Amino acid sequence: MTAVAEALSQPEGSISALSETSGRAALALRVTGTLAVVGVVATAWLGLFVTPNDVNMGDLVRLLYIHPPMAWVAFVAYGIASLSSLLYLWPRTRHPRFDRMAGASAETGVVFTGLTLVTGSIWGRPTWGVWWTWDPLLTTTALLFVLYLGYLALRRVPGDSEAVAKRAAVASLVAFVDVPIVYFSVSWWRSLHQAPTVDLTGRHLYVHGSMAWTLLLGFVSFTLVYAWLVGHRYRLSTLRQREADECLTAAVAERQQEGQS
Amino acid sequence: MLRDAALVCGKDLRIEMRSRVTLNQVVPFAAVVMLLFGLALGPDRRVLVPAASGLFWVAVLFSSVLAVQRSFALESADDAREGLRLSGLDPAGVFLGKAGAVLAELVVLEVLLAMAMALLYGAHLAGVPVLAASAVLASLGLAAVGILYGAAASGLRVRETLLPLLFLPVVAPVLLAATKAWNLALAGTPDRADGWLSVLGVFAVLYLAIGTVAFGSLMEDR
């Protein structure tokens, strides 16, 4: 949650700092942010007040307007993080911007994975009668959450920025390759047990009319929220790197002056 | 590459032969874990026997964290890591060699631990070929991931706490597949374990491949 908190806690100062670097990027970020907020508010309004109850699920169906979009964003975030890590590891495309992108995207992905797990549990408790079930999709999502928590912990260890970036890129790759293996082995593990498998979509759900539009709006606006958060995190890490570089230059100049006097 | 791997593997195993740290500390630790599981689940054999292979593999996972940490503690003493980098050995060879040494240590540990399992939990060791095959494949996967993450975490001040967090979630499929394979073998149906053996094999091959390719960038400038 710190990513969101940090990104949200610097509204004005951050945008003015950004406009110094690139006015167009700042404008794009601001427009994305505005659209994201409007979209989420509209999704909430449509989901809570406009759309009808479901015949089987009742009010629970309203969670469906935010839960799948969150899961979608989480998977997109990990995909982008892994792609950026791969581009960083490839010597020809190695550039710090890919490392920063991977970090920003993975961080946002962890936030959305957490939200996916929480909303899924809230939905699962009344629907299935349990907070948690060892379904392949759930288990894979939970493992993704801890895998990328480890990745973020590794990123946070201070050190030479290039060494940190390489370590992180390898770790991201290792984590990403794990996901299909986990999914496959857990689904197989489950299928061999005689335990009742849970139909993830619950009972038959007919999505139509205002419900379909609300769900679509949810997907669009949560993707915008993702883009907005990643944009801010990316900008923050760029500024942090520049601050470190400038502090170093200043300190070197100071020492040199001391030597001359 | 393979010659370099044999050199590094021989070096690590020779150090182990002389220092006996894995044998004298990691193996007893694994035995303690098995004993503690027994205490946690109670003396009832109907509970212990079905759980035996799962407990065995959890103990192996914990011990492999220690084995990997030991493998990189060897390199941190007297700046041996710098020596390894300057020696001009192929990074892929260094990776395979270190993984090979950890594999050998884990296999020895698993043999001893399987005897402890039979002794403490009263599990009857059946289907030994499947047990052995899955143990080797699983250890190969554990060693590959362990050396990869061990290298990523080595030299960091927080390595002791960071390595388990990085390592254990990644090897979750190994725990799952190896436990299933052992369950099937112990239950007297080893021929149904083929699928799980191939899961272990695919996991090991994938991570050995990633390690061979990516280890170089972990060994470079530090």
Side-chain angles (χ1 to χ4, degrees), chain B residues 6-21 70 74 101 105:
Chain B
L7 278 175
V8 173
C9 181
K11 170 200 73 106
D12 276 12
L13 288 179
R14 210 170 308 129
I15 296 176
E16 170 55 27
M17 288 296 279
R18 290 181 190 161
S19 67
R20 299 267 165 89
V21 169
R70 170 65 188 159
L74 298 178
E105 290 167 12

Side-chain angles (χ1 to χ4, degrees), chain A residues 25-47:
Chain A
L27 186 68
L29 203 54
R30 203 180 294 168
V31 169
T32 314
T34 315
L35 287 176
V37 170
V38 171
V40 169
V41 170
T43 311
W45 178 67
L46 286 172

